[in-house]
Amino acid sequence: MEESLDAIGEALSENGKVIVTGCLGAKEGVVAKVHPSVLAITGPHDTAGVMQAVHQHLPKPHDPYTDLIGVKLTPPHYAYLKISEGCNHRCTFCIIPSMRGDLVSRPIGEVAQEAENLVKAGVRELLVVSQDTSAYGVDVKYRTGFVGGKPVKTRMLDLCRALGDLGAWVRLHYVYPYPHVDDIIPLMAQGRILPYLDVPFQHASPRILKLMKRPASAEKVLERVRKWRSICPDITIRSTFITGFPGETEEDFSQLMQFIEEAQLDRVGCFAYSPVQGAAANGLPDPVPEDVKEERKQRFMLRQQEISRNKLQAKIGKTLKVLVDEPGVGRSSADAPEIDGVVRFKGGKPGEFVSVTIDRADEHDLYGRRL
Ligand code: SF4
Protein backbone atom coordinates (compact mmCIF):
# COMPACT_ATOMS: atom_id res chain seq x y z
CA MET A 1 0.00 0.00 0.00
CA GLU A 2 2.88 2.38 0.85
CA GLU A 3 4.30 1.89 -2.66
CA SER A 4 0.96 2.71 -4.28
CA LEU A 5 0.55 5.83 -2.16
CA ASP A 6 4.10 6.90 -3.05
CA ALA A 7 3.35 6.34 -6.74
CA ILE A 8 0.26 8.57 -6.46
CA GLY A 9 2.42 11.24 -4.78
CA GLU A 10 4.95 11.02 -7.62
CA ALA A 11 2.23 11.30 -10.26
CA LEU A 12 0.78 14.34 -8.48
CA SER A 13 4.11 16.12 -8.36
CA GLU A 14 4.90 15.30 -12.00
CA ASN A 15 1.50 15.87 -13.53
CA GLY A 16 -0.77 17.54 -10.97
CA LYS A 17 -3.93 15.87 -12.35
CA VAL A 18 -4.44 12.37 -10.98
CA ILE A 19 -7.40 9.99 -10.89
CA VAL A 20 -6.97 6.91 -8.69
CA THR A 21 -8.69 3.65 -9.59
CA GLY A 22 -8.40 0.05 -8.39
CA CYS A 23 -8.22 -1.81 -5.08
CA LEU A 24 -6.77 1.09 -3.13
CA GLY A 25 -9.60 3.31 -4.35
CA ALA A 26 -12.08 0.92 -2.75
CA LYS A 27 -10.59 1.52 0.69
CA GLU A 28 -12.57 4.43 1.87
CA GLY A 29 -10.61 7.50 2.86
CA VAL A 30 -7.10 5.97 2.59
CA VAL A 31 -6.04 7.84 -0.56
CA ALA A 32 -7.98 11.03 0.19
CA LYS A 33 -6.35 11.30 3.62
CA VAL A 34 -2.80 11.14 2.25
CA HIS A 35 -3.39 12.88 -1.09
CA PRO A 36 -6.39 15.22 -0.78
CA SER A 37 -5.63 16.83 -4.18
CA VAL A 38 -6.41 13.78 -6.36
CA LEU A 39 -9.26 14.61 -8.74
CA ALA A 40 -11.29 11.44 -8.23
CA ILE A 41 -11.06 8.02 -6.56
CA THR A 42 -12.88 4.93 -7.84
CA GLY A 43 -12.80 1.24 -6.92
CA PRO A 44 -11.82 -1.69 -9.18
CA HIS A 45 -13.79 -2.40 -12.43
CA ASP A 46 -15.31 1.05 -12.33
CA THR A 47 -14.68 1.99 -15.96
CA ALA A 48 -17.77 4.21 -15.99
CA GLY A 49 -16.58 6.05 -12.86
CA VAL A 50 -13.12 6.58 -14.37
CA MET A 51 -14.58 7.83 -17.64
CA GLN A 52 -16.93 10.17 -15.83
CA ALA A 53 -14.00 11.62 -13.89
CA VAL A 54 -11.89 11.90 -17.07
CA HIS A 55 -14.71 13.70 -18.89
CA GLN A 56 -15.32 15.98 -15.95
CA HIS A 57 -11.71 17.12 -15.84
CA LEU A 58 -10.77 16.83 -19.53
CA PRO A 59 -13.01 17.62 -22.50
CA LYS A 60 -13.92 14.41 -24.29
CA PRO A 61 -12.41 14.26 -27.80
CA HIS A 62 -14.89 12.94 -30.31
CA ASP A 63 -13.48 10.02 -32.25
CA PRO A 64 -16.13 7.61 -33.42
CA TYR A 65 -13.61 4.82 -33.97
CA THR A 66 -11.74 4.83 -30.67
CA ASP A 67 -14.98 5.59 -28.79
CA LEU A 68 -16.05 2.09 -29.76
CA ILE A 69 -12.91 0.59 -28.24
CA GLY A 70 -13.52 2.20 -24.86
CA VAL A 71 -11.04 3.51 -22.34
CA LYS A 72 -7.35 3.24 -23.30
CA LEU A 73 -4.91 5.19 -21.22
CA THR A 74 -1.60 4.10 -22.82
CA PRO A 75 0.31 5.53 -25.83
CA PRO A 76 -1.39 4.62 -29.12
CA HIS A 77 1.09 1.89 -30.07
CA TYR A 78 0.66 -0.45 -27.10
CA ALA A 79 -2.32 -1.56 -25.05
CA TYR A 80 -3.12 -3.74 -22.06
CA LEU A 81 -5.50 -6.57 -22.81
CA LYS A 82 -7.28 -7.77 -19.69
CA ILE A 83 -8.37 -11.38 -20.13
CA SER A 84 -9.88 -12.13 -16.74
CA GLU A 85 -10.68 -10.64 -13.39
CA GLY A 86 -10.26 -12.08 -9.88
CA CYS A 87 -8.26 -15.06 -8.69
CA ASN A 88 -8.87 -18.56 -7.33
CA HIS A 89 -5.71 -18.59 -5.24
CA ARG A 90 -5.41 -17.38 -1.69
CA CYS A 91 -1.82 -16.23 -1.28
CA THR A 92 -1.56 -15.19 2.33
CA PHE A 93 0.03 -11.79 1.61
CA CYS A 94 -2.63 -10.76 -0.91
CA ILE A 95 -6.14 -9.32 -0.53
CA ILE A 96 -7.06 -9.24 -4.22
CA PRO A 97 -9.39 -12.28 -4.05
CA SER A 98 -11.26 -10.76 -1.10
CA MET A 99 -11.77 -7.53 -3.08
CA ARG A 100 -12.28 -8.85 -6.61
CA GLY A 101 -13.57 -12.35 -5.99
CA ASP A 102 -12.76 -15.62 -7.76
CA LEU A 103 -11.50 -15.88 -11.33
CA VAL A 104 -13.92 -14.74 -14.03
CA SER A 105 -12.52 -15.24 -17.54
CA ARG A 106 -13.73 -13.01 -20.34
CA PRO A 107 -15.14 -14.92 -23.31
CA ILE A 108 -12.34 -15.72 -25.77
CA GLY A 109 -14.30 -14.30 -28.72
CA GLU A 110 -14.70 -10.98 -26.92
CA VAL A 111 -11.01 -10.79 -25.97
CA ALA A 112 -9.89 -11.69 -29.50
CA GLN A 113 -12.28 -9.10 -30.99
CA GLU A 114 -10.97 -6.39 -28.68
CA ALA A 115 -7.39 -7.33 -29.62
CA GLU A 116 -8.23 -7.20 -33.32
CA ASN A 117 -9.88 -3.76 -32.95
CA LEU A 118 -6.84 -2.48 -31.10
CA VAL A 119 -4.44 -3.74 -33.77
CA LYS A 120 -6.64 -2.22 -36.50
CA ALA A 121 -6.50 1.09 -34.58
CA GLY A 122 -2.68 1.05 -34.72
CA VAL A 123 -1.64 -0.88 -31.60
CA ARG A 124 1.66 -2.70 -32.24
CA GLU A 125 2.02 -4.47 -28.90
CA LEU A 126 -0.61 -6.22 -26.80
CA LEU A 127 0.21 -6.72 -23.12
CA VAL A 128 -1.86 -9.59 -21.81
CA VAL A 129 -2.75 -9.04 -18.16
CA SER A 130 -4.92 -10.60 -15.46
CA GLN A 131 -4.32 -11.80 -11.91
CA ASP A 132 -3.34 -15.27 -13.16
CA THR A 133 -2.97 -15.47 -16.94
CA SER A 134 -2.17 -19.19 -16.93
CA ALA A 135 -5.53 -19.94 -15.26
CA TYR A 136 -7.49 -18.38 -18.11
CA GLY A 137 -10.64 -20.41 -18.78
CA VAL A 138 -10.48 -22.62 -15.66
CA ASP A 139 -13.68 -21.06 -14.29
CA VAL A 140 -15.65 -21.77 -17.49
CA LYS A 141 -14.13 -25.27 -17.88
CA TYR A 142 -12.32 -24.12 -21.05
CA ARG A 143 -15.68 -23.52 -22.74
CA THR A 144 -15.60 -23.32 -26.54
CA GLY A 145 -16.07 -19.85 -28.02
CA PHE A 146 -15.68 -18.47 -31.52
CA VAL A 147 -12.87 -16.44 -33.03
CA GLY A 148 -13.32 -15.40 -36.66
CA GLY A 149 -16.15 -17.95 -36.94
CA LYS A 150 -13.94 -20.86 -35.83
CA PRO A 151 -14.51 -22.79 -32.57
CA VAL A 152 -11.74 -22.11 -30.06
CA LYS A 153 -11.36 -23.17 -26.43
CA THR A 154 -11.19 -20.55 -23.67
CA ARG A 155 -7.64 -21.34 -22.56
CA MET A 156 -4.23 -19.71 -22.64
CA LEU A 157 -2.76 -21.76 -25.50
CA ASP A 158 -5.68 -21.05 -27.85
CA LEU A 159 -5.74 -17.39 -26.87
CA CYS A 160 -2.01 -17.08 -27.59
CA ARG A 161 -2.48 -18.71 -30.99
CA ALA A 162 -5.36 -16.35 -31.84
CA LEU A 163 -3.45 -13.26 -30.69
CA GLY A 164 -0.32 -14.47 -32.47
CA ASP A 165 -2.23 -14.35 -35.78
CA LEU A 166 -2.86 -10.60 -35.48
CA GLY A 167 0.66 -9.53 -36.46
CA ALA A 168 1.31 -7.41 -33.34
CA TRP A 169 3.71 -8.17 -30.52
CA VAL A 170 2.02 -10.21 -27.78
CA ARG A 171 3.57 -10.09 -24.31
CA LEU A 172 2.36 -12.27 -21.43
CA HIS A 173 2.25 -11.05 -17.84
CA TYR A 174 1.45 -12.85 -14.56
CA VAL A 175 1.94 -16.40 -15.74
CA TYR A 176 2.42 -19.14 -13.13
CA PRO A 177 4.78 -22.02 -13.80
CA TYR A 178 2.11 -24.69 -14.29
CA PRO A 179 3.01 -27.63 -16.58
CA HIS A 180 0.65 -26.44 -19.35
CA VAL A 181 2.68 -23.23 -19.71
CA ASP A 182 5.31 -25.41 -21.44
CA ASP A 183 2.90 -25.68 -24.41
CA ILE A 184 3.08 -21.99 -25.24
CA ILE A 185 6.90 -21.81 -25.35
CA PRO A 186 7.02 -23.27 -28.91
CA LEU A 187 4.82 -20.32 -30.03
CA MET A 188 7.57 -18.07 -28.68
CA ALA A 189 10.28 -20.06 -30.45
CA GLN A 190 8.28 -19.72 -33.69
CA GLY A 191 8.03 -15.94 -33.24
CA ARG A 192 4.22 -15.97 -32.97
CA ILE A 193 4.22 -14.36 -29.53
CA LEU A 194 7.11 -12.56 -27.81
CA PRO A 195 9.68 -14.79 -26.07
CA TYR A 196 8.92 -13.10 -22.76
CA LEU A 197 7.37 -14.47 -19.59
CA ASP A 198 6.53 -12.50 -16.49
CA VAL A 199 6.34 -15.15 -13.75
CA PRO A 200 6.00 -13.92 -10.17
CA PHE A 201 7.90 -16.64 -8.25
CA GLN A 202 8.00 -14.62 -4.97
CA HIS A 203 10.32 -17.08 -3.19
CA ALA A 204 12.21 -20.33 -3.63
CA SER A 205 12.10 -21.93 -0.19
CA PRO A 206 9.37 -24.62 -0.21
CA ARG A 207 8.62 -23.80 3.43
CA ILE A 208 8.05 -20.09 2.71
CA LEU A 209 6.10 -20.80 -0.48
CA LYS A 210 3.83 -23.02 1.60
CA LEU A 211 3.36 -20.27 4.19
CA MET A 212 2.60 -17.89 1.31
CA LYS A 213 0.16 -20.49 -0.15
CA ARG A 214 1.62 -19.89 -3.59
CA PRO A 215 0.31 -21.81 -6.59
CA ALA A 216 2.61 -24.28 -8.45
CA SER A 217 5.22 -26.46 -6.78
CA ALA A 218 8.59 -25.02 -5.83
CA GLU A 219 10.75 -28.05 -6.64
CA LYS A 220 9.80 -28.14 -10.28
CA VAL A 221 10.40 -24.47 -11.01
CA LEU A 222 14.10 -24.67 -11.92
CA GLU A 223 13.45 -27.71 -14.07
CA ARG A 224 10.69 -25.78 -15.82
CA VAL A 225 12.87 -22.72 -16.42
CA ARG A 226 15.56 -24.97 -17.97
CA LYS A 227 12.99 -26.64 -20.19
CA TRP A 228 11.62 -23.27 -21.40
CA ARG A 229 15.15 -22.17 -22.28
CA SER A 230 15.87 -25.41 -24.12
CA ILE A 231 12.77 -24.87 -26.30
CA CYS A 232 13.28 -21.12 -26.74
CA PRO A 233 16.86 -20.03 -25.92
CA ASP A 234 16.00 -16.34 -26.44
CA ILE A 235 13.28 -16.29 -23.81
CA THR A 236 13.37 -13.39 -21.32
CA ILE A 237 12.11 -14.35 -17.87
CA ARG A 238 11.01 -11.61 -15.49
CA SER A 239 10.00 -12.23 -11.90
CA THR A 240 9.37 -10.63 -8.53
CA PHE A 241 10.38 -11.79 -5.06
CA ILE A 242 9.68 -10.90 -1.44
CA THR A 243 12.33 -10.90 1.28
CA GLY A 244 11.52 -11.01 4.99
CA PHE A 245 8.16 -12.81 4.77
CA PRO A 246 7.07 -13.86 8.31
CA GLY A 247 9.05 -16.92 9.38
CA GLU A 248 11.82 -16.49 6.77
CA THR A 249 15.05 -17.81 8.28
CA GLU A 250 18.59 -17.28 7.02
CA GLU A 251 18.37 -20.82 5.62
CA ASP A 252 15.21 -19.95 3.63
CA PHE A 253 16.91 -16.83 2.34
CA SER A 254 19.98 -18.86 1.29
CA GLN A 255 17.68 -21.08 -0.76
CA LEU A 256 16.35 -17.99 -2.48
CA MET A 257 19.89 -16.78 -3.25
CA GLN A 258 20.78 -20.24 -4.55
CA PHE A 259 17.71 -20.16 -6.78
CA ILE A 260 18.52 -16.83 -8.43
CA GLU A 261 22.07 -18.06 -8.97
CA GLU A 262 20.85 -21.13 -10.81
CA ALA A 263 17.84 -19.62 -12.57
CA GLN A 264 19.82 -16.70 -14.05
CA LEU A 265 16.64 -14.69 -14.56
CA ASP A 266 16.79 -11.71 -16.88
CA ARG A 267 14.67 -9.16 -15.05
CA VAL A 268 13.86 -9.18 -11.35
CA GLY A 269 12.02 -6.97 -8.89
CA CYS A 270 12.35 -7.45 -5.14
CA PHE A 271 10.31 -6.06 -2.25
CA ALA A 272 10.91 -6.23 1.47
CA TYR A 273 7.71 -7.77 2.90
CA SER A 274 5.22 -5.21 4.15
CA PRO A 275 1.94 -6.32 5.70
CA VAL A 276 -1.28 -5.47 3.84
CA GLN A 277 -4.31 -4.68 5.97
CA GLY A 278 -6.64 -7.68 5.98
CA ALA A 279 -4.08 -10.21 4.65
CA ALA A 280 -3.91 -13.66 6.30
CA ALA A 281 -0.10 -13.44 6.55
CA ASN A 282 -0.48 -10.79 9.26
CA GLY A 283 -1.43 -13.58 11.66
CA LEU A 284 1.72 -15.65 10.96
CA PRO A 285 4.30 -16.02 13.75
CA ASP A 286 7.96 -14.95 13.66
CA PRO A 287 7.87 -11.62 11.86
CA VAL A 288 11.25 -10.64 10.44
CA PRO A 289 12.72 -7.38 11.82
CA GLU A 290 12.65 -4.45 9.38
CA ASP A 291 16.43 -4.10 9.17
CA VAL A 292 16.81 -7.82 8.35
CA LYS A 293 14.15 -7.64 5.60
CA GLU A 294 15.94 -4.65 4.07
CA GLU A 295 19.40 -6.12 4.43
CA ARG A 296 18.27 -9.33 2.69
CA LYS A 297 16.66 -7.30 -0.07
CA GLN A 298 19.92 -5.41 -0.60
CA ARG A 299 21.96 -8.63 -0.73
CA PHE A 300 19.47 -10.16 -3.14
CA MET A 301 19.41 -7.15 -5.45
CA LEU A 302 23.17 -6.77 -5.46
CA ARG A 303 23.62 -10.29 -6.75
CA GLN A 304 20.70 -10.09 -9.17
CA GLN A 305 21.97 -6.80 -10.60
CA GLU A 306 25.22 -8.56 -11.52
CA ILE A 307 23.29 -11.35 -13.22
CA SER A 308 21.07 -8.89 -15.11
CA ARG A 309 24.08 -6.79 -16.10
CA ASN A 310 25.88 -9.84 -17.52
CA LYS A 311 22.75 -10.79 -19.44
CA LEU A 312 22.62 -7.31 -21.00
CA GLN A 313 26.36 -7.35 -21.78
CA ALA A 314 25.81 -10.57 -23.74
CA LYS A 315 23.59 -8.59 -26.14
CA ILE A 316 26.43 -6.33 -27.33
CA GLY A 317 27.01 -6.90 -31.05
CA LYS A 318 23.52 -8.32 -31.64
CA THR A 319 20.91 -6.64 -33.83
CA LEU A 320 17.52 -6.41 -32.16
CA LYS A 321 14.06 -5.59 -33.43
CA VAL A 322 12.90 -2.56 -31.45
CA LEU A 323 9.49 -0.93 -31.08
CA VAL A 324 9.97 2.84 -30.84
CA ASP A 325 8.22 4.51 -27.85
CA GLU A 326 9.58 7.99 -28.56
CA PRO A 327 12.35 9.29 -30.83
CA GLY A 328 15.61 7.70 -29.64
CA VAL A 329 13.95 5.30 -27.16
CA GLY A 330 12.42 1.92 -27.82
CA ARG A 331 12.05 -1.58 -26.45
CA SER A 332 13.10 -5.01 -27.66
CA SER A 333 11.19 -8.24 -27.02
CA ALA A 334 12.95 -8.38 -23.63
CA ASP A 335 11.53 -5.09 -22.38
CA ALA A 336 7.98 -4.57 -21.12
CA PRO A 337 6.89 -0.93 -20.89
CA GLU A 338 7.19 0.79 -17.50
CA ILE A 339 8.90 -2.09 -15.72
CA ASP A 340 11.95 -3.15 -17.77
CA GLY A 341 14.83 -1.28 -19.44
CA VAL A 342 14.89 0.42 -22.85
CA VAL A 343 17.04 0.51 -25.99
CA ARG A 344 18.51 3.93 -26.83
CA PHE A 345 19.56 4.95 -30.33
CA LYS A 346 19.14 7.90 -32.71
CA GLY A 347 15.89 8.63 -34.52
CA GLY A 348 12.70 6.63 -34.98
CA LYS A 349 9.01 7.51 -34.74
CA PRO A 350 6.65 6.24 -32.00
CA GLY A 351 5.02 2.97 -33.02
CA GLU A 352 7.63 2.17 -35.67
CA PHE A 353 9.68 -1.06 -35.66
CA VAL A 354 13.41 -0.52 -36.26
CA SER A 355 16.54 -2.70 -36.17
CA VAL A 356 19.21 -1.59 -33.72
CA THR A 357 22.73 -3.02 -33.39
CA ILE A 358 23.79 -2.93 -29.74
CA ASP A 359 27.13 -1.24 -28.91
CA ARG A 360 26.93 -0.80 -25.18
CA ALA A 361 24.96 -1.81 -22.08
CA ASP A 362 24.61 -0.53 -18.54
CA GLU A 363 22.69 -2.01 -15.63
CA HIS A 364 19.25 -1.48 -17.16
CA ASP A 365 19.45 -0.21 -20.70
CA LEU A 366 21.04 -0.97 -24.06
CA TYR A 367 22.58 1.58 -26.43
CA GLY A 368 23.04 1.10 -30.16
CA ARG A 369 22.86 2.22 -33.78
CA ARG A 370 19.90 1.98 -36.08
CA LEU A 371 20.56 -0.10 -39.16
S1 SF4 B 1 -0.88 -12.91 -5.34
FE1 SF4 B 1 -1.91 -14.93 -5.24
S2 SF4 B 1 -3.99 -14.51 -4.48
FE2 SF4 B 1 -3.11 -12.56 -5.13
S3 SF4 B 1 -3.82 -12.28 -7.22
FE3 SF4 B 1 -1.78 -13.26 -7.34
S4 SF4 B 1 -2.17 -15.50 -7.38
FE4 SF4 B 1 -4.07 -14.46 -6.71
Side-chain angles (χ1 to χ4, degrees), residues 250-269:
E250 197 53 40
E251 168 59 25
D252 295 313
F253 181 66
S254 300
Q255 288 184 30
L256 174 57
M257 293 296 279
Q258 177 77 25
F259 174 81
I260 58 158
E261 202 62 52
E262 291 182 32
Q264 295 283 306
L265 304 176
D266 301 82
R267 310 275 191 195
V268 169

Side-chain angles (χ1 to χ4, degrees), residues 87 89-91 93-94 96-97 131-132 176 214-215:
C87 181
H89 302 297
R90 295 293 180 263
C91 303
F93 55 81
C94 178
I96 286 176
Q131 261 81 51
D132 178 0
Y176 290 91
R214 292 292 290 165

Side-chain angles (χ1 to χ4, degrees), residues 15-20 36-42 48-61:
N15 179 299
K17 288 184 177 177
V18 173
I19 293 168
V20 176
S37 59
V38 296
L39 298 177
I41 302 167
T42 77
V50 173
M51 288 315 289
Q52 196 187 3
V54 169
H55 295 155
Q56 193 182 336
H57 297 283
L58 284 176
K60 182 177 184 282

Side-chain angles (χ1 to χ4, degrees), residues 73-314:
L73 305 170
T74 47
H77 59 279
Y78 66 80
Y80 291 91
L81 185 66
K82 185 132 198 176
I83 61 168
S84 61
E85 190 54 79
C87 181
N88 287 347
H89 302 297
R90 295 293 180 263
C91 303
T92 51
F93 55 81
C94 178
I95 53 167
I96 286 176
S98 68
M99 300 179 90
R100 301 192 178 182
D102 283 342
L103 178 80
V104 178
S105 300
R106 292 179 61 199
I108 190 161
E110 189 184 300
V111 175
Q113 187 60 59
E114 180 180 337
E116 194 184 325
N117 291 349
L118 287 164
V119 174
K120 279 186 185 156
V123 164
R124 298 282 166 263
E125 178 177 5
L126 295 163
L127 302 138
V128 176
V129 291
S130 66
Q131 261 81 51
D132 178 0
T133 295
S134 29
Y136 180 59
V138 168
D139 55 315
V140 292
K141 302 197 170 54
Y142 308 112
R143 184 169 58 207
T144 299
F146 289 89
V147 175
K150 289 195 204 118
V152 176
K153 284 203 180 307
T154 307
R155 55 173 188 169
M156 186 170 65
L157 177 62
D158 300 67
L159 179 68
C160 289
R161 282 198 192 116
L163 297 180
D165 287 343
L166 295 174
W169 275 6
V170 177
R171 193 184 294 282
L172 303 181
H173 289 278
Y174 314 121
V175 174
Y176 290 91
Y178 301 122
H180 72 269
V181 173
D182 297 0
D183 300 339
I184 58 164
I185 311 298
L187 298 181
M188 297 184 177
Q190 293 156 16
R192 293 184 63 189
I193 62 171
L194 287 181
Y196 181 99
L197 266 190
D198 175 7
V199 199
F201 293 124
Q202 307 301 13
H203 214 285
S205 149
R207 203 179 68 82
I208 295 297
L209 287 166
K210 209 165 161 202
L211 286 173
M212 288 178 164
K213 290 207 180 147
R214 292 292 290 165
S217 86
E219 309 82 58
K220 298 272 161 56
V221 165
L222 265 180
E223 214 175 282
R224 192 131 273 134
V225 167
R226 286 193 193 109
K227 187 171 177 194
W228 295 342
R229 289 213 173 105
S230 73
I231 302 170
C232 181
D234 286 338
I235 193 168
T236 297
I237 305 175
R238 148 170 276 280
S239 192
T240 49
F241 294 88
I242 296 172
T243 61
F245 188 78
E248 184 193 61
T249 61
E250 197 53 40
E251 168 59 25
D252 295 313
F253 181 66
S254 300
Q255 288 184 30
L256 174 57
M257 293 296 279
Q258 177 77 25
F259 174 81
I260 58 158
E261 202 62 52
E262 291 182 32
Q264 295 283 306
L265 304 176
D266 301 82
R267 310 275 191 195
V268 169
C270 182
F271 303 92
Y273 173 74
S274 84
V276 176
Q277 206 185 347
N282 300 348
L284 290 172
D286 307 320
V288 177
E290 285 303 321
D291 56 336
V292 178
K293 287 182 200 172
E294 279 299 327
E295 189 265 338
R296 286 181 187 163
K297 178 183 152 188
Q298 297 304 332
R299 266 198 279 163
F300 176 97
M301 283 316 286
L302 220 56
R303 181 61 194 117
Q304 179 57 43
Q305 272 159 10
E306 249 175 84
I307 295 171
S308 300
R309 195 181 314 124
N310 291 342
K311 292 244 161 190
L312 288 181
Q313 289 287 330

